[in-house]
Amino acid sequence: MRGEYCVGASSFLAFASLLLLIFVHVSQINTSTVPRRISLVKVNVSDYGLLHAALIDDIDHLYTTNSSAPLEAGAGLRQFYQFGLYSHCGYINDSAGTCTNTSVQNQFQPFVALTLDMLPNYTVISNSIFSGTAFADSNSLGHSSRAAYWMLLLGAICAALALLTGVAKNNFTFFISTGFAIVGSVFILIGAGIWTAMIKKIESVNSILISSAPVPVGIEVSTGSGLFLIWAAFASLFVSIVPYMISCCTFRG
């Protein structure tokens, strides 16, 4: 392989990895088109109100129709929730919704997010239904998501450094780029693995039944496109190691 092609391929792959991670980081920070379309986790609660079939008391006024009502203020559930690295958003339909304030190390705690939107009496019912489930294990999910955040942030930084150091055509800089690509791939792999495990863990809520009826609880968790972008970013940066390494060993300036 010609040296120019090898260097170009490694730079392109590192850039692609960095770009994908940037998209993941901007997911669900607001309701604009791009952030709205990217999320790590989707939670559909549109059927949660149907629990009246399994309960003595009807569930009324559980949802809000005001798309701009603040989240986590007891203003009512939204039909759909999407979670990103820095915040989460609630939507009453495909596009109308609002988001929480962004914060570094934002903890992924979907059960907390839902119950904070409910009125107190519905919170009591929800605590009774989900007590002891993986979906309500907020401490574990919160700690895991914080660890995954730092892994993905460090992975993005390493991808950027691999790209920048590879610009200078020198064996030593290619060696450094190779190192950053390897370390960054490890960080991204860990972050992707943590998020994958968390999502698979809480997807168990999809099959929970209220034993008295029995009927499903009406909450459905699914994987967002952001997780696939993370895995693609890992694959791209990991593959870039090969041309970076070849350039390091064979380049003659």
Side-chain angles (χ1 to χ4, degrees), residues 61-220:
H61 310 296
L62 178 62
Y63 299 93
T64 181
T65 57
N66 181 5
S67 62
S68 61
L71 294 173
E72 301 182 344
L77 277 181
R78 319 305 144 98
Q79 304 290 326
F80 312 99
Y81 288 81
Q82 298 191 44
F83 295 82
L85 288 179
Y86 294 91
S87 63
H88 73 271
C89 302
Y91 301 89
I92 63 173
N93 53 43
D94 288 339
S95 58
T98 188
C99 302
T100 59
N101 294 328
T102 58
S103 62
V104 176
Q105 299 186 89
N106 181 57
Q107 297 189 62
F108 174 59
Q109 297 177 321
F111 182 70
V112 172
L114 298 183
T115 53
L116 287 177
D117 282 342
M118 300 177 189
L119 296 175
N121 54 329
Y122 301 132
T123 301
V124 173
I125 294 174
S126 299
N127 286 332
S128 175
I129 293 173
F130 297 103
S131 177
T133 65
F135 185 69
D137 190 4
S138 299
N139 286 334
S140 176
L141 294 174
H143 291 312
S144 296
S145 59
R146 289 178 63 182
Y149 166 79
W150 285 112
M151 294 297 100
L152 295 176
L153 180 61
L154 291 172
I157 293 173
C158 287
L161 292 173
L163 176 63
L164 293 175
T165 54
V167 171
K169 295 181 179 180
N170 182 278
N171 298 77
F172 181 67
T173 56
F174 290 144
F175 173 76
I176 295 176
S177 296
T178 303
F180 280 130
I182 293 173
V183 174
S185 297
V186 172
F187 283 141
I188 299 171
L189 176 62
I190 295 173
I194 292 174
W195 271 107
T196 301
M198 285 194 297
I199 295 172
K200 292 301 180 183
K201 176 180 178 181
I202 65 172
E203 279 182 344
S204 60
V205 73
N206 298 349
S207 58
I208 294 178
L209 300 176
I210 304 300
S211 57
S212 58
V215 296
V217 295
I219 294 180
E220 182 178 356

Side-chain angles (χ1 to χ4, degrees), residues 37-48:
R37 297 299 180 187
I38 303 173
S39 63
L40 290 168
V41 184
K42 298 178 180 180
V43 181
N44 184 339
V45 296
S46 58
D47 291 335
Y48 188 50

